[in-house]
Amino acid sequence: HGPGFFDSLASLVFFMLLGKMFQIKTYSFLSFERDFKSYFPIAVTRINPDATEESVPIYDVLKGNRLLIRNQELIPVDGILISEKADIDYSFVTGEAVPITKKSGDKVFAGGKQIGKVIEMEVLHSVSQSYLTQLWSNEVFQKKVQQKHKTITDAISRYFTPILLLIAFAGFGYWIFIDANTAFNVFTAVLIVACPCALALTAPFTFGNILRIMGKQKMYLKNALVIEQLAKVDTIVFDKTGTITTNKKSNIIYEGNTISEENLLLIKNVLRGSNHPLSRMLYDFLPEYKRIKIDDFQEITGKGILAVVERNEIKIGSSAFVESPVLEISEIEKTALHIKIDDQYFGKFVFQNQYRDGLEKLFNTLSKDYNIKVLSGDNDGERAVLEEILPKDTELVFNQKPEQKLEFIKNLQSEGRNVMMVGDGLNDAGALAQSNVGISVSENVNVFSPACDAILDASVFSKINYFLKLSHKSILIIKMSFTLSLLYNVVGLAFAVTGNLNPLVAAIIMPLSTITIVSFVTIMSNYFSKSNLE
């Protein structure tokens, strides 16, 4: 009554707003952490004033810099085309698949994908990678998945309010015949102490924190849904070249007729426009030569490169693609790039693949809980080596074209499997998009495909099992948090209905419940992230 009423009311409103402010502040903190720390790494090739090329992070690119864009690479920033001509596919942005032709001096926009020979452009604006982050999150690339925990939260929320009102009115109806003051206290305390936000915050805060933790450990997820999908995976399909093999350690041997300096110059300049792992390795292996103009460039996925340089037709790729006259029947076929200039077959560059550190241990660990399969576009020359390294029940499938990889994933899904595809993001785009979870292993961060659900830095490839285990633990944390918040509501309502809870005390407890849930989720996710999950 009197001044005391307004004092109590002011305190009540203060504590309720305090809880709301805490909720908003925590949300904005998690959002900032996600935006600032969990950006996937995008790099571009910058051409320095001395004509040398270096790979730099997108945020180091400044206005006036000159960039090199290879076949199938995304244009990361707005700029002016310096090269004579470019065909750019803007389907990621506009949905229109027909490439747009640009001429020298034309403006090119971020988000387009370069098709054909290598181009050079000058940067108009230094820009953060937020635009490409938005592109990655575009609903065009979202998969139709059941959001189990969102469904649970929505189901509880749907019944929470009517049940709460029913309890409040029932309590009021009971106490009004005994004590009017207690009846109004019970009615108010029930409405205040019940905390739906504790239930609603459980899944978003858990997933938000796990996203942040994985981002710090170089596993960059598209969104929180991917964590839930990771926890459902039962089959893992690995690509071979550029995924379980490293692009940096291959020993390259040339077998065939002697190639002149002039022809090596042609080969080096043709390879400059390709982003295929084998092309990048051979490009780095060959000595540096002067730059020459490429007249025509086509990269046929799964086959090789067809280019015209100074009226010379150059074919680089598989033996079938270059129509190699050498039939390797007696020896096991090896991973190789065959060379044909005009109508003359010269020979092949053979790659002695180096497998990633910790591969054998990783596969042995994964095989205990998952079905493991390895797909490769190469021939089966390394079957014996792989069979020695990998667990006995690992299925090895060779000579797979991109469309066959996609079909392989579809067949597994038709059998009821939840499939995670791990590829290099270039030739595996279709399979990555089809899989339940598509992970692109990034050793060359210039290669970015919006088709994937996650980008894994190649340096933490051996931690794939850790990330899968962490996704399972996040589901466990959500279940524990649901139980905790339901328990809080049951206990709080029991005290409120029996008239043992003052509305002002309820207003103090309400934000404390939110703090408790957020603290629990944060502590548990940090604990599991630091514990040994291997």
Side-chain angles (χ1 to χ4, degrees):
H1 298 283
F5 170 79
F6 289 104
D7 185 47
S8 300
L9 183 65
S11 302
L12 184 75
V13 174
F14 169 75
F15 285 115
M16 292 182 77
L17 289 176
L18 187 71
K20 191 70 178 173
M21 187 187 75
F22 176 80
Q23 182 182 335
I24 292 167
K25 288 284 184 187
T26 314
Y27 259 128
S28 62
F29 169 74
L30 276 182
S31 176
F32 171 77
E33 285 279 292
R34 166 68 176 162
D35 290 345
F36 186 70
K37 300 235 175 106
S38 296
Y39 270 156
F40 51 89
I42 297 180
V44 290
T45 303
R46 183 168 64 192
I47 303 172
N48 295 320
D50 60 357
T52 58
E53 297 168 8
E54 65 172 331
S55 190
V56 296
I58 183 87
Y59 43 78
D60 283 352
V61 173
L62 303 172
K63 181 181 179 181
N65 283 169
R66 183 170 287 202
L67 303 182
L68 180 78
I69 311 293
R70 298 182 183 87
N71 182 43
Q72 300 296 315
E73 254 181 42
L74 285 186
I75 296 169
V77 292
D78 294 346
I80 299 294
L81 181 65
I82 294 171
S83 300
E84 183 183 346
K85 194 181 84 165
D87 292 318
I88 302 172
D89 176 4
Y90 282 105
S91 58
F92 288 153
V93 181
T94 64
E96 180 57 56
V98 179
I100 295 170
T101 301
K102 296 283 186 178
K103 296 177 182 176
S104 183
D106 286 352
K107 190 173 181 180
V108 290
F109 300 97
K113 184 170 69 173
Q114 160 60 10
I115 297 174
K117 60 186 178 182
V118 66
I119 62 168
E120 293 182 17
M121 61 174 283
E122 185 176 312
V123 176
L124 277 179
H125 310 287
S126 59
V127 61
S128 74
Q129 58 192 60
S130 57
Y131 178 77
L132 291 184
T133 310
Q134 291 167 21
L135 180 63
W136 196 30
S137 301
N138 192 309
E139 62 181 25
V140 171
F141 305 107
Q142 301 302 324
K143 294 175 180 175
K144 305 294 182 193
V145 296
Q146 183 189 4
Q147 301 178 45
K148 186 179 177 183
H149 292 96
K150 186 176 184 299
T151 307
I152 293 171
T153 306
D154 290 346
I156 292 172
S157 302
R158 190 179 299 120
Y159 298 110
F160 193 92
T161 303
I163 290 171
L164 178 63
L165 288 171
L166 189 65
I167 293 170
F169 280 111
F172 180 81
Y174 173 80
W175 282 102
I176 194 68
F177 298 107
I178 302 167
D179 182 359
N181 275 341
T182 305
F184 280 102
N185 275 352
V186 165
F187 183 78
T188 312
V190 166
L191 293 178
I192 293 170
V193 77
C195 191
C197 55
L199 286 167
L201 292 177
T202 294
F205 272 82
T206 303
F207 287 146
N209 208 34
I210 295 294
L211 275 174
R212 182 180 61 83
I213 289 165
M214 286 191 177
K216 281 183 175 179
Q217 300 195 38
K218 300 183 179 181
M219 169 78 151
Y220 306 92
L221 305 185
K222 180 182 285 187
N223 53 43
L225 277 179
V226 181
I227 301 171
E228 205 170 331
Q229 291 302 106
L230 278 171
K232 296 177 184 176
V233 167
D234 55 33
T235 304
I236 306 176
V237 178
F238 288 90
D239 175 50
K240 183 174 84 72
T241 307
T243 303
I244 65 173
T245 63
T246 173
N247 296 355
K248 296 178 179 177
K249 296 181 182 177
S250 284
N251 297 316
I252 302 175
I253 301 163
Y254 176 70
E255 297 176 1
N257 302 326
T258 304
I259 302 178
S260 66
E261 289 281 323
E262 290 80 8
N263 285 334
L264 282 174
L265 168 67
L266 299 178
I267 294 166
K268 174 88 174 181
N269 276 276
V270 168
L271 291 169
R272 185 172 177 242
S274 172
N275 244 326
H276 190 278
L278 295 181
S279 299
R280 301 307 308 146
M281 280 188 271
L282 184 54
Y283 177 80
D284 293 335
F285 172 77
L286 293 175
E288 198 60 49
Y289 293 105
K290 68 175 182 179
R291 306 273 183 259
I292 55 174
K293 181 186 172 186
I294 307 292
D295 298 312
D296 188 35
F297 182 99
Q298 294 178 57
E299 191 164 11
I300 297 98
T301 305
K303 294 182 179 180
I305 303 167
L306 174 62
V308 176
V309 187
E310 296 180 345
R311 297 183 181 178
N312 297 292
E313 184 184 82
I314 298 154
K315 281 188 174 182
I316 303 172
S318 66
S319 57
F321 177 67
V322 303
E323 299 166 339
S324 164
V326 182
L327 295 174
E328 302 172 13
I329 298 170
S330 58
E331 62 169 313
I332 297 172
E333 283 196 63
K334 302 162 186 171
T335 301
L337 283 180
H338 296 255
I339 307 295
K340 189 175 186 179
I341 299 176
D342 291 325
D343 290 323
Q344 184 182 355
Y345 175 80
F346 281 86
K348 61 187 176 183
F349 288 92
V350 179
F351 298 80
Q352 304 295 327
N353 284 316
Q354 296 290 312
Y355 292 94
R356 295 194 185 279
D357 295 334
L359 181 69
E360 189 171 353
K361 182 185 175 184
L362 172 67
F363 271 60
N364 284 328
T365 307
L366 288 173
S367 63
K368 295 171 187 174
D369 301 306
Y370 304 95
N371 291 311
I372 308 294
K373 303 179 189 299
V374 176
L375 295 182
S376 176
D378 299 334
N379 52 61
D380 62 354
E382 297 202 26
R383 181 183 288 275
V385 178
L386 283 167
E387 285 175 346
E388 192 176 324
I389 295 174
L390 306 180
K392 289 182 180 178
D393 55 349
T394 304
E395 184 180 354
L396 304 174
V397 186
F398 295 91
N399 298 305
Q400 293 292 292
K401 295 174 182 175
E403 58 272 21
Q404 290 174 311
K405 291 180 183 179
L406 188 150
E407 202 59 39
F408 187 86
I409 301 291
K410 276 186 181 177
N411 291 337
L412 288 172
Q413 289 172 327
S414 66
E415 295 169 10
R417 304 280 183 87
N418 273 290
V419 183
M420 180 172 91
M421 172 73 189
V422 186
D424 62 17
L426 196 63
N427 294 329
D428 307 318
L432 288 170
Q434 177 63 39
S435 61
N436 299 86
V437 181
I439 297 180
S440 175
V441 176
S442 173
E443 196 155 43
N444 171 15
V445 287
N446 299 61
V447 180
F448 160 62
S449 170
C452 64
D453 300 298
I455 298 176
L456 179 70
D457 192 294
S459 63
V460 293
F461 180 83
S462 60
K463 293 178 71 176
I464 285 177
N465 188 55
Y466 165 81
F467 294 121
L468 286 165
K469 287 279 191 287
L470 189 56
S471 68
H472 282 280
K473 293 297 183 186
S474 70
I475 304 301
L476 176 63
I477 292 168
I478 288 173
K479 289 176 180 176
M480 292 164 69
S481 301
F482 267 132
T483 306
L484 191 65
S485 54
L486 281 170
L487 187 63
Y488 159 80
N489 279 290
V490 168
V491 172
L493 286 170
F495 275 95
V497 167
T498 54
N500 295 312
L501 190 63
N502 187 286
L504 188 58
V505 176
I508 296 169
I509 293 173
M510 188 270 295
L512 286 176
S513 70
T514 306
I515 293 168
T516 304
I517 290 296
V518 172
S519 302
F520 176 79
V521 161
T522 305
I523 290 167
M524 291 305 295
S525 53
N526 287 339
Y527 167 75
F528 283 128
S529 72
K530 289 172 184 174
S531 62
N532 185 11
L533 298 176
E534 293 299 322

